[in-house]
Amino acid sequence: MPHPLRAAALAALLLAGAVACGDSSDEGTSTAESSASSSPAPADDAAGGSAAARVEAVNETMRTTAFSAIGTSTAYDGALQNMTWNPRQGLHIRISGTIGGHMYCQDGVTYISSNLFAESLKQQGQEITVPAGLDDVYVTTKSGEGCDAYFALSPTGRFSPADDAEVNGTPARAVKVSASASATDTYYVSAEDPAYLLKLKSTRDGRTSSTTYVDFGKETTVTLPSADKTLTMDAFRARIGG
């Protein structure tokens, strides 16, 4: 059985990771994990085309295209999250407002600033005290997935024509993923190619968030924390006595 701190930490990383939809449910599962339990998407819809095929196309485009995103979060009440994705260098999420911190991901390894990590654990019901000497340290964890997992759409998504809209003047189709009555994500994907994710709206237990994706193809440098500012989960746990 995983150590309680490790188990909570992995949930916290997922909770902190995804802009807008990265919040976990009461059971501690991520949006992606919860969505996977939903029933499969239908093969086609009345407007023509497969929801699953469109989701796959969007995920491929987003995985291989630089972009930025800005939005609120169901994970940190009142916080603003800015995401930068560079396919060659990785992912950077900057959180500001009611709490500040940074998260990075490269080659399946997640880096989360210790203060943000502690806040995430607090929301999971476990409080820790970060020693002053570790306040500028990043805790690292191997996720076992590519960094695109933090913004990928679930293949179980279904078209929701009633929610179709325009996002910044671009026609968008709505793809909805409902893990439960209190956990729903609505992804707005471009109706025509290139297949982009344009906007995401999420609901978690009454909390709502909205994120807009922009600057497709515009690369921004993502620089990971230096090696002397990182600690593995085991090393961090040993330092705080967890």
Side-chain angles (χ1 to χ4, degrees), residues 59 62-63 85 105 145-152:
N59 284 342
M62 299 296 284
R63 181 167 50 247
W85 167 245
C105 182
E145 299 183 55
C147 298
D148 59 300
Y150 287 107
F151 52 81

Side-chain angles (χ1 to χ4, degrees), residues 80-97:
L80 187 69
Q81 298 191 69
N82 293 78
M83 174 190 285
T84 298
W85 167 245
N86 183 322
R88 298 182 299 106
Q89 298 177 336
L91 178 78
H92 175 210
I93 296 176
R94 177 173 60 87
I95 298 178
S96 58

